[in-house]
Amino acid sequence: MKTDLQIRKDVERELAWDTRTWNLKIDVKVHDGVVSLTGSVGSYADRIAAQNAAYRVTGVLDIANEIMVKSVRPYTDEEIAHGVRQALRWDSTVPDEQITSSVSDGWVTLSGAVNTLSQRSDAERSVEHLHGVRGVFNEIVVETVRSDPEDLRSSIMQALERRADREAERLRIDITNGEVDLYGRVHSWQERKAVVGSIVPLPGVRKINDKLRIDPYF
């Protein structure tokens, strides 16, 4: 098992290695496998990039991301709102006419209703890299055609089994009205991300409640 000191050094090396984060001034602390990130960065995209870099390190169980976003130049909420609308409009994977947004002090709230969970995720992704954005609240709901729970479970299991390095039988999957509850253990955040990501595009999935537990040593 890695010590907290080893995990901290590995996270610092990962931040220095990734070209998206190597110039960021991030302080790293680790206690019982939980990583705390502090400091300030110029964009929300930088904040997310630092978090993702830390999650790639084996032994990291959870992350407390306390990094502050301080834009290099101030952007008005009106400027950001125009940028959000353009980003949604130009993203071919997003049904922009079904989505509304509001901006307050650089924080973007996305609302509306879409047909799939992947459209909801894509809408957030399309705006999180914009200048001036300090954070994103995704309140978009998914209104999809209801699927038979057993059919949906079968589709999920097949999606997981198509990944040769995933062991679908290790997971417990509960489905209620299109909401998928995931239980079980995975070895890393990357594996957790892959499991959830394989379910997101499936029709009939309205929401994923990720209750997976990271355990690098089982």
Coordinates of all heavy atoms in Angstrom, one line a residue, residues 119-174:
Q119 N -26.4 13.9 -23.6 CA -26.6 15.3 -24.0 C -26.4 16.3 -22.8 O -25.9 17.4 -22.9 CB -28.0 15.5 -24.6 CG -28.2 14.8 -25.9 CD -29.6 14.9 -26.5 OE1 -30.5 15.1 -25.7 NE2 -29.7 14.8 -27.8
R120 N -26.9 15.8 -21.6 CA -26.7 16.6 -20.4 C -25.2 16.8 -20.1 O -24.8 17.9 -19.8 CB -27.4 15.9 -19.2 CG -27.4 16.6 -17.9 CD -28.1 15.8 -16.8 NE -28.2 16.5 -15.6 CZ -27.3 16.6 -14.6 NH1 -26.1 15.9 -14.8 NH2 -27.5 17.3 -13.5
S121 N -24.4 15.7 -20.2 CA -23.0 15.8 -19.9 C -22.3 16.7 -21.0 O -21.4 17.4 -20.6 CB -22.4 14.4 -19.9 OG -23.0 13.6 -18.9
D122 N -22.7 16.5 -22.2 CA -22.0 17.3 -23.3 C -22.3 18.8 -23.1 O -21.4 19.6 -23.5 CB -22.5 16.8 -24.7 CG -22.0 15.4 -25.0 OD1 -21.0 15.0 -24.5 OD2 -22.6 14.8 -25.9
A123 N -23.5 19.1 -22.7 CA -23.8 20.6 -22.5 C -22.9 21.2 -21.4 O -22.3 22.3 -21.6 CB -25.2 20.7 -22.0
E124 N -22.6 20.4 -20.3 CA -21.7 20.9 -19.3 C -20.3 21.0 -19.8 O -19.6 22.0 -19.6 CB -21.8 20.0 -18.1 CG -20.9 20.5 -16.9 CD -21.0 19.6 -15.7 OE1 -22.1 18.9 -15.6 OE2 -20.1 19.7 -14.8
R125 N -19.9 20.0 -20.6 CA -18.5 20.0 -21.1 C -18.3 21.2 -22.1 O -17.2 21.7 -22.1 CB -18.3 18.7 -21.9 CG -17.0 18.6 -22.6 CD -16.9 17.4 -23.5 NE -18.1 17.2 -24.3 CZ -18.4 18.0 -25.4 NH1 -17.6 19.0 -25.7 NH2 -19.5 17.8 -26.1
S126 N -19.3 21.5 -22.8 CA -19.1 22.6 -23.8 C -18.9 24.0 -23.2 O -18.4 24.9 -23.9 CB -20.3 22.6 -24.8 OG -21.5 23.1 -24.1
V127 N -19.3 24.2 -22.0 CA -19.2 25.5 -21.4 C -18.1 25.6 -20.3 O -17.7 26.7 -19.9 CB -20.5 26.0 -20.8 CG1 -21.6 26.0 -21.9 CG2 -20.9 25.2 -19.6
E128 N -17.6 24.5 -19.8 CA -16.7 24.5 -18.6 C -15.3 25.1 -19.0 O -14.6 25.5 -18.1 CB -16.6 23.2 -18.0 CG -15.9 22.1 -18.8 CD -15.9 20.7 -18.1 OE1 -16.6 20.6 -17.1 OE2 -15.1 19.9 -18.6
H129 N -15.0 25.1 -20.3 CA -13.7 25.6 -20.7 C -13.7 27.1 -21.1 O -12.7 27.7 -21.5 CB -13.1 24.8 -21.8 CG -12.7 23.4 -21.4 ND1 -13.6 22.4 -21.2 CD2 -11.5 22.9 -21.0 CE1 -13.0 21.3 -20.8 NE2 -11.7 21.6 -20.7
L130 N -14.9 27.8 -21.0 CA -15.0 29.2 -21.4 C -14.3 30.1 -20.4 O -14.2 29.9 -19.2 CB -16.4 29.6 -21.5 CG -17.3 28.8 -22.6 CD1 -18.7 29.3 -22.5 CD2 -16.7 29.0 -24.0
H131 N -13.7 31.2 -21.0 CA -13.1 32.2 -20.1 C -14.1 32.8 -19.2 O -15.2 33.1 -19.6 CB -12.5 33.3 -21.0 CG -11.2 32.9 -21.7 ND1 -10.1 32.6 -21.0 CD2 -10.9 32.9 -23.0 CE1 -9.1 32.3 -21.9 NE2 -9.6 32.4 -23.1
G132 N -13.7 33.1 -18.0 CA -14.5 33.8 -17.0 C -15.4 32.8 -16.2 O -16.0 33.3 -15.2
V133 N -15.6 31.6 -16.6 CA -16.5 30.7 -15.9 C -15.7 30.2 -14.6 O -14.6 29.7 -14.7 CB -16.8 29.4 -16.8 CG1 -17.5 28.4 -16.0 CG2 -17.7 29.9 -18.0
R134 N -16.4 30.4 -13.5 CA -15.8 29.9 -12.2 C -16.3 28.6 -11.8 O -15.7 27.9 -10.9 CB -16.2 31.0 -11.1 CG -15.5 32.4 -11.4 CD -15.9 33.3 -10.3 NE -15.5 32.8 -9.0 CZ -16.1 33.1 -7.9 NH1 -17.2 33.9 -7.9 NH2 -15.7 32.6 -6.7
G135 N -17.5 28.2 -12.3 CA -18.0 26.9 -12.0 C -19.3 26.7 -12.7 O -19.9 27.6 -13.3
V136 N -19.8 25.4 -12.8 CA -21.0 25.1 -13.5 C -22.0 24.3 -12.6 O -21.6 23.3 -12.0 CB -20.7 24.3 -14.8 CG1 -22.0 23.9 -15.5 CG2 -19.8 25.0 -15.7
F137 N -23.2 24.8 -12.5 CA -24.3 24.0 -11.9 C -25.1 23.4 -13.0 O -25.8 24.1 -13.8 CB -25.2 24.9 -11.0 CG -24.5 25.5 -9.8 CD1 -24.3 26.9 -9.7 CD2 -23.9 24.7 -8.8 CE1 -23.7 27.4 -8.7 CE2 -23.3 25.3 -7.7 CZ -23.1 26.6 -7.7
N138 N -25.1 22.1 -13.1 CA -25.9 21.4 -14.2 C -27.2 20.9 -13.6 O -27.3 19.9 -12.9 CB -25.1 20.2 -14.7 CG -25.7 19.7 -16.0 OD1 -26.9 19.9 -16.3 ND2 -24.9 19.0 -16.8
E139 N -28.3 21.7 -13.9 CA -29.6 21.3 -13.4 C -30.5 20.8 -14.6 O -31.7 20.8 -14.4 CB -30.3 22.5 -12.7 CG -29.5 23.0 -11.5 CD -30.1 24.2 -10.8 OE1 -31.1 24.7 -11.4 OE2 -29.6 24.6 -9.8
I140 N -29.9 20.4 -15.7 CA -30.6 19.9 -16.8 C -31.2 18.5 -16.4 O -30.5 17.7 -15.8 CB -29.7 19.7 -18.0 CG1 -29.2 21.1 -18.5 CG2 -30.5 19.1 -19.2 CD1 -28.1 21.0 -19.5
V141 N -32.5 18.3 -16.7 CA -33.1 17.0 -16.5 C -33.2 16.2 -17.8 O -33.2 16.8 -18.9 CB -34.5 17.2 -15.9 CG1 -34.5 17.9 -14.6 CG2 -35.4 17.9 -16.9
V142 N -33.2 14.9 -17.6 CA -33.3 14.0 -18.7 C -34.7 13.4 -18.8 O -35.2 12.8 -17.9 CB -32.2 12.8 -18.6 CG1 -32.4 11.9 -19.8 CG2 -30.8 13.4 -18.5
E143 N -35.3 13.7 -19.9 CA -36.7 13.2 -20.2 C -36.6 12.2 -21.3 O -36.6 12.5 -22.5 CB -37.7 14.3 -20.5 CG -37.9 15.3 -19.4 CD -38.9 16.4 -19.7 OE1 -39.1 16.5 -20.9 OE2 -39.3 17.1 -18.8
T144 N -36.4 10.9 -20.9 CA -36.2 9.9 -21.9 C -37.4 8.9 -21.9 O -38.1 8.8 -21.0 CB -34.9 9.1 -21.7 OG1 -34.7 8.2 -22.7 CG2 -35.0 8.4 -20.4
V145 N -37.5 8.1 -23.0 CA -38.5 7.1 -23.0 C -38.2 6.1 -22.0 O -37.1 5.6 -21.9 CB -38.6 6.5 -24.4 CG1 -39.6 5.4 -24.5 CG2 -38.9 7.5 -25.5
R146 N -39.2 5.7 -21.2 CA -38.9 4.7 -20.2 C -38.7 3.3 -20.8 O -39.4 2.9 -21.7 CB -40.1 4.6 -19.2 CG -40.3 5.9 -18.3 CD -41.2 5.6 -17.2 NE -41.3 6.8 -16.3 CZ -42.0 6.9 -15.2 NH1 -42.7 5.8 -14.8 NH2 -42.0 7.9 -14.4
S147 N -37.7 2.7 -20.2 CA -37.3 1.4 -20.7 C -37.6 0.3 -19.6 O -37.7 0.6 -18.4 CB -35.8 1.3 -21.0 OG -35.4 2.2 -22.0
D148 N -37.9 -0.9 -20.1 CA -38.1 -2.0 -19.2 C -36.8 -2.2 -18.3 O -35.7 -2.3 -18.9 CB -38.4 -3.3 -19.9 CG -38.5 -4.5 -19.0 OD1 -39.7 -4.6 -18.5 OD2 -37.6 -5.2 -18.7
P149 N -36.9 -2.2 -17.0 CA -35.7 -2.3 -16.2 C -34.7 -3.5 -16.5 O -33.5 -3.3 -16.5 CB -36.2 -2.5 -14.8 CG -37.6 -1.8 -14.8 CD -38.1 -2.1 -16.2
E150 N -35.3 -4.6 -16.9 CA -34.5 -5.8 -17.2 C -33.8 -5.6 -18.5 O -32.6 -6.0 -18.7 CB -35.3 -7.0 -17.2 CG -35.8 -7.5 -15.8 CD -34.6 -7.6 -14.8 OE1 -33.6 -8.2 -15.2 OE2 -34.7 -7.0 -13.7
D151 N -34.5 -5.0 -19.5 CA -33.9 -4.7 -20.8 C -32.7 -3.7 -20.6 O -31.6 -3.8 -21.2 CB -34.9 -4.1 -21.8 CG -35.9 -5.1 -22.2 OD1 -35.6 -6.3 -22.1 OD2 -36.9 -4.7 -22.7
L152 N -33.0 -2.7 -19.8 CA -31.9 -1.7 -19.5 C -30.7 -2.3 -18.8 O -29.6 -2.0 -19.1 CB -32.5 -0.5 -18.7 CG -31.6 0.7 -18.4 CD1 -31.0 1.2 -19.7 CD2 -32.3 1.8 -17.7
R153 N -31.0 -3.2 -17.8 CA -30.0 -3.9 -17.1 C -29.1 -4.7 -18.0 O -27.9 -4.7 -18.0 CB -30.5 -4.8 -16.0 CG -29.5 -5.4 -15.1 CD -30.1 -6.5 -14.2 NE -31.2 -5.9 -13.5 CZ -31.1 -5.2 -12.4 NH1 -29.9 -5.0 -11.9 NH2 -32.2 -4.8 -11.8
S154 N -29.8 -5.4 -19.0 CA -29.1 -6.2 -20.0 C -28.2 -5.3 -20.8 O -27.0 -5.7 -21.1 CB -30.1 -7.0 -20.8 OG -29.4 -7.7 -21.8
S155 N -28.7 -4.2 -21.2 CA -27.9 -3.3 -22.1 C -26.7 -2.8 -21.3 O -25.5 -2.6 -21.8 CB -28.7 -2.1 -22.5 OG -29.8 -2.5 -23.3
I156 N -26.8 -2.5 -20.0 CA -25.7 -2.0 -19.2 C -24.7 -3.1 -19.0 O -23.5 -2.8 -19.2 CB -26.3 -1.5 -17.8 CG1 -27.1 -0.3 -17.9 CG2 -25.1 -1.3 -16.8 CD1 -27.8 0.2 -16.7
M157 N -25.1 -4.3 -18.7 CA -24.2 -5.4 -18.6 C -23.4 -5.7 -19.8 O -22.2 -5.9 -19.8 CB -24.9 -6.7 -18.1 CG -25.6 -6.6 -16.8 SD -24.4 -6.2 -15.4 CE -23.6 -7.8 -15.3
Q158 N -24.1 -5.6 -21.0 CA -23.4 -5.8 -22.3 C -22.4 -4.7 -22.5 O -21.3 -4.9 -23.0 CB -24.4 -5.8 -23.4 CG -25.3 -7.1 -23.4 CD -26.4 -7.0 -24.4 OE1 -26.3 -6.2 -25.3 NE2 -27.4 -7.9 -24.3
A159 N -22.7 -3.4 -22.1 CA -21.8 -2.3 -22.3 C -20.6 -2.5 -21.5 O -19.4 -2.2 -21.9 CB -22.5 -1.0 -22.0
L160 N -20.8 -3.0 -20.2 CA -19.6 -3.2 -19.3 C -18.8 -4.3 -19.8 O -17.5 -4.3 -19.8 CB -20.1 -3.4 -17.9 CG -20.8 -2.2 -17.2 CD1 -21.4 -2.7 -15.9 CD2 -19.8 -1.1 -17.0
E161 N -19.4 -5.4 -20.3 CA -18.6 -6.6 -20.7 C -17.9 -6.4 -22.0 O -16.9 -7.1 -22.2 CB -19.6 -7.7 -20.8 CG -20.1 -8.3 -19.5 CD -21.3 -9.2 -19.6 OE1 -21.7 -9.4 -20.8 OE2 -21.8 -9.7 -18.6
R162 N -18.2 -5.4 -22.7 CA -17.5 -5.1 -24.0 C -16.1 -4.5 -23.6 O -15.2 -4.5 -24.5 CB -18.3 -4.1 -24.9 CG -19.4 -4.7 -25.7 CD -19.9 -3.8 -26.8 NE -20.5 -2.6 -26.2 CZ -21.8 -2.6 -26.0 NH1 -22.6 -3.7 -26.1 NH2 -22.4 -1.4 -25.5
R163 N -15.9 -4.0 -22.4 CA -14.6 -3.6 -22.0 C -13.9 -4.7 -21.4 O -14.3 -5.2 -20.3 CB -14.8 -2.4 -21.0 CG -15.5 -1.2 -21.5 CD -15.7 -0.2 -20.4 NE -16.4 1.0 -21.0 CZ -15.8 2.1 -21.4 NH1 -14.5 2.1 -21.5 NH2 -16.5 3.1 -21.9
A164 N -12.9 -5.2 -22.0 CA -12.2 -6.4 -21.6 C -11.6 -6.3 -20.2 O -11.5 -7.4 -19.5 CB -11.1 -6.8 -22.6
D165 N -11.3 -5.1 -19.7 CA -10.6 -5.0 -18.4 C -11.7 -4.7 -17.3 O -11.3 -4.4 -16.2 CB -9.6 -3.9 -18.5 CG -10.2 -2.5 -18.9 OD1 -11.2 -2.6 -19.6 OD2 -9.5 -1.5 -18.7
R166 N -12.9 -4.8 -17.7 CA -14.0 -4.5 -16.7 C -14.6 -5.9 -16.2 O -14.8 -6.7 -17.1 CB -15.1 -3.6 -17.2 CG -14.6 -2.3 -17.8 CD -14.1 -1.4 -16.7 NE -13.4 -0.3 -17.3 CZ -12.1 -0.1 -17.2 NH1 -11.4 -1.0 -16.6 NH2 -11.5 0.9 -17.8
E167 N -14.9 -6.0 -15.0 CA -15.5 -7.2 -14.5 C -16.9 -6.8 -14.0 O -17.1 -6.5 -12.9 CB -14.7 -7.8 -13.3 CG -13.3 -8.3 -13.7 CD -12.6 -8.9 -12.6 OE1 -13.2 -9.6 -11.8 OE2 -11.4 -8.8 -12.5
A168 N -17.9 -6.9 -14.9 CA -19.2 -6.5 -14.7 C -19.9 -7.2 -13.5 O -20.7 -6.7 -12.8 CB -20.1 -6.6 -15.9
E169 N -19.5 -8.5 -13.3 CA -20.1 -9.3 -12.3 C -19.7 -8.8 -10.9 O -20.3 -9.2 -9.9 CB -19.7 -10.8 -12.4 CG -18.2 -11.1 -12.3 CD -17.4 -10.9 -13.6 OE1 -18.0 -10.4 -14.6 OE2 -16.2 -11.3 -13.6
R170 N -18.7 -7.9 -10.8 CA -18.3 -7.4 -9.5 C -19.2 -6.3 -9.0 O -19.2 -5.9 -7.9 CB -16.9 -6.9 -9.5 CG -15.8 -8.0 -9.6 CD -14.5 -7.4 -9.3 NE -13.9 -6.7 -10.5 CZ -13.8 -5.4 -10.5 NH1 -14.2 -4.6 -9.5 NH2 -13.3 -4.8 -11.6
L171 N -20.1 -5.8 -9.9 CA -20.9 -4.6 -9.6 C -22.3 -5.0 -9.4 O -22.8 -6.0 -9.9 CB -20.8 -3.6 -10.8 CG -19.5 -3.2 -11.3 CD1 -19.6 -2.3 -12.4 CD2 -18.7 -2.6 -10.1
R172 N -23.0 -4.3 -8.5 CA -24.4 -4.4 -8.3 C -25.1 -3.2 -8.9 O -24.7 -2.1 -8.7 CB -24.8 -4.5 -6.8 CG -26.2 -4.9 -6.6 CD -26.5 -4.9 -5.1 NE -27.4 -3.8 -4.7 CZ -27.5 -3.3 -3.5 NH1 -26.6 -3.6 -2.6 NH2 -28.3 -2.3 -3.3
I173 N -26.2 -3.5 -9.7 CA -26.9 -2.5 -10.5 C -28.3 -2.5 -10.1 O -29.0 -3.5 -10.3 CB -26.7 -2.7 -12.0 CG1 -25.2 -2.6 -12.3 CG2 -27.4 -1.6 -12.7 CD1 -24.9 -3.0 -13.8
D174 N -28.8 -1.4 -9.5 CA -30.3 -1.3 -9.2 C -30.9 -0.2 -10.1 O -30.2 0.8 -10.4 CB -30.5 -0.9 -7.8 CG -30.0 -2.0 -6.8 OD1 -29.9 -3.2 -7.2 OD2 -29.8 -1.7 -5.6

